[in-house]
């Protein structure tokens, strides 16, 4: 676990860090933070990703140094794979020939690494990376603090999700003390959208539908709508939040048509409903309240199957007591 990871770092020199395709705030923030940590320990380290850094994270310290490549082209002492459910998620085939350290906080992750450090109690992998820095006696610089803060901020949905705990705020408070600037980071991540993203959001939200119970909502984006708005796939991130803001809705789906009848589906739910299991059924994964998958499919069939499984997930979810907590079967 953590001890094995710190041993490995102490004993070796040359490292790479990667995360999943279309990296998000935790994947990137944690990778960049770990890179700063390794460099402060005088290690040779670089962040290598298949996909470019999204606009929202370009201002994070070190983001401009991320190597965007189709595959790894040299041998490292170890490659840290951040928040990936399996070894194919980074989209770098040569990972198969590397010593892999799997660092994740998902419950659905495979133990694909030569070392596996999984902590499903961490709100974000950023929290684990922060613990690693502390365990290795690394001074938390403003760079490390900012990257970890971005990871925490995004993976807790700006501290809205149920993974937000007293510990999250304690760490966030430490990070601010060490130089993370909350308003500046939030501005960069959530207030720098392109015009096309908001136009596309309008078009997508106009497709909103609910089932007869009012508990399941879904939205749809055709490839044509994306092209007409001038938006990119990256601009579709976050739109799924809106259907879930409806009071009665417990689970939501966003069907995005990429080219060639390929659909990327995002699933979200409120507390008690588990959408990770639904995503897994379709070959994806994620967290209980935020999951997804990509599939080549016919829209009518896919949406019918996904909505049926969401209905079952809502029907099978544990009941809540008067305080909004799950009544757990004994
Ligand atoms: P999003 O809906 O924002 O794309 O993804 C939400 C969550 O589901 C993230 O935690 C992400 O890692 C997970 N997820 C999305 N797509 C996939 C997928 O294709 N495979 C797996 N294993 N997880 C996914
Ligand atoms: Mn994460």
């Amino acid at each position: 676990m953590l001890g094995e990871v710190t041993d490995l770092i102490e004993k070796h020199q040359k490292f790479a860090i990667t995360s999943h395709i279309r990296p998000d705030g935790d994947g990137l923030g944690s990778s960049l933070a770990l890179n700063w940590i390794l460099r402060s320990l005088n290690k040779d380290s670089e962040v290598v990703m298949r996909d470019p850094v999204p606009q929202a994270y370009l201002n994070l310290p070190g983001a401009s140094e991320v190597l965007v490549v189709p595959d790894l082209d040299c041998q490292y002492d170890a490659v840290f794979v951040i928040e990936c459910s399996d070894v194919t998620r980074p989209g770098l085939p040569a990972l198969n020939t590397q010593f892999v350290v799997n660092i994740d906080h998902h419950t659905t992750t495979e133990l694909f690494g030569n070392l596996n450090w999984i902590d499903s109690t961490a709100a974000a992998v950023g929290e684990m990376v922060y613990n690693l820095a502390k365990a290795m006696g690394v001074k938390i610089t403003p760079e490390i603090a900012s990257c970890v803060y971005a990871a925490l901020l995004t993976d807790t949905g700006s501290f809205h999700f149920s993974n937000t705990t007293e510990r999250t705020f304690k760490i966030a408070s430490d990070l601010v003390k060490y130089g993370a600037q909350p308003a500046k980071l939030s501005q960069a991540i959530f207030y720098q959208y392109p015009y096309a993203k908001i136009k596309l959001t309008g078009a997508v939200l106009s497709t909103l539908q609910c089932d007869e119970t009012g508990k399941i909502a879904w939205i749809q984006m055709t490839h044509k709508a994306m092209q007409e708005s001038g938006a990119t796939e990256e601009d579709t991130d976050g739109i799924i939040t809106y259907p879930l803001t409806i009071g009665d809705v417990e689970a939501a789906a966003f069907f995005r048509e990429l080219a060639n009848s390929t659909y990327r589906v995002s699933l979200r739910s409120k507390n008690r409903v588990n959408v990770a299991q639904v995503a897994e059924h379709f070959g994806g994964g994620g967290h209980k309240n935020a999951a997804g998958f990509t599939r080549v499919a016919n829209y009518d069939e896919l949406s019918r199957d996904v909505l049926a499984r969401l209905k079952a997930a809502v029907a099978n979810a544990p009941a809540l007591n008067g305080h909004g907590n799950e009544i757990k079967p004994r």
Side-chain angles (χ1 to χ4, degrees):
M1 298 280 114
L2 173 57
E4 292 173 301
V5 178
T6 58
D7 272 3
L8 174 103
I9 294 171
E10 275 163 10
K11 292 190 180 121
H12 294 89
Q13 183 59 33
K14 187 179 175 187
F15 300 104
I17 305 157
T18 191
S19 187
H20 50 82
I21 51 168
R22 300 182 295 97
D24 59 10
D26 190 24
L28 263 168
S30 300
S31 297
L32 293 171
L34 181 55
N35 199 39
W36 287 111
I37 291 165
L38 292 171
R39 287 184 177 182
S40 81
L41 293 164
N42 292 315
K43 305 291 177 178
D44 301 318
S45 169
E46 54 196 17
V47 178
V48 184
M49 300 271 181
R50 213 280 309 267
D51 288 341
V53 176
Q55 152 93 30
Y57 306 112
L58 279 175
N59 288 323
L60 285 181
S64 61
E65 288 181 59
V66 172
L67 296 172
V68 179
V69 290
D71 206 351
L72 301 172
D73 65 358
C74 66
Q75 202 62 30
Y76 298 91
D77 295 335
V79 181
F80 295 93
V81 177
I82 305 287
E83 69 149 20
C84 289
S85 52
D86 63 77
V87 76
T88 66
R89 280 280 282 161
L92 303 170
L95 266 179
N96 279 323
T97 63
Q98 303 276 347
F99 187 94
V100 167
V101 183
N102 168 16
I103 305 183
D104 196 10
H105 68 136
H106 289 77
T107 48
T108 57
T109 198
E110 283 176 21
L111 301 181
F112 60 83
N114 299 89
L115 274 185
N116 297 283
W117 177 28
I118 314 295
D119 179 359
S120 57
T121 71
V125 174
E127 187 177 322
M128 300 170 70
V129 168
Y130 177 72
N131 291 337
L132 174 77
K134 288 279 182 183
M136 299 201 75
V138 169
K139 178 173 178 280
I140 309 295
T141 58
E143 286 81 10
I144 297 173
S146 301
C147 295
V148 173
Y149 188 92
L152 276 186
L153 180 70
T154 54
D155 250 31
T156 59
S158 301
F159 307 109
H160 292 190
F161 299 158
S162 57
N163 58 353
T164 310
T165 64
E166 183 193 354
R167 198 169 79 191
T168 321
F169 287 113
K170 175 77 178 64
I171 295 174
S173 162
D174 286 351
L175 296 171
V176 174
K177 184 176 72 189
Y178 292 128
Q181 295 178 270
K184 193 173 155 220
L185 287 161
S186 295
Q187 285 282 336
I189 296 171
F190 300 116
Y191 293 83
Q192 295 290 336
Y193 294 152
Y195 179 81
K197 177 182 171 90
I198 304 306
K199 290 296 280 185
L200 177 67
T201 303
V204 169
L205 289 182
S206 71
T207 70
L208 175 70
Q209 294 182 72
C210 263
D211 76 338
E212 65 286 354
T213 67
K215 291 181 179 172
I216 294 167
W218 63 99
I219 49 178
Q220 180 197 358
M221 185 193 78
T222 59
H223 187 54
K224 190 161 161 269
M226 188 165 85
Q227 283 180 318
E228 281 175 0
S229 68
T232 63
E233 195 189 336
E234 178 184 321
D235 293 327
T236 65
D237 286 348
I239 301 179
I240 180 68
T241 309
Y242 291 102
L244 209 62
T245 61
I246 301 168
D248 288 337
V249 167
E250 298 212 44
F254 180 13
F255 298 91
R256 266 161 284 198
E257 186 191 19
L258 311 174
N260 307 326
S261 302
T262 301
Y263 283 87
R264 182 148 83 83
V265 180
S266 284
L267 303 174
R268 296 291 186 271
S269 62
K270 287 181 186 153
N271 254 332
R272 68 191 187 101
V273 178
N274 188 337
V275 289
Q277 285 170 355
V278 177
E280 276 178 74
H281 172 82
F282 294 97
H287 300 277
K288 183 178 166 196
N289 299 133
F293 65 91
T294 299
R295 216 171 159 93
V296 178
N298 163 282
Y299 177 74
D300 291 338
E301 284 172 23
L302 180 69
S303 57
R304 191 191 59 214
D305 292 351
V306 170
L307 296 174
R309 289 205 170 251
L310 282 183
K311 269 184 200 175
V314 170
N316 296 331
L320 296 182
N321 66 20
H323 302 289
N325 295 320
E326 286 180 10
I327 302 169
K328 296 227 163 64
R330 284 175 197 270

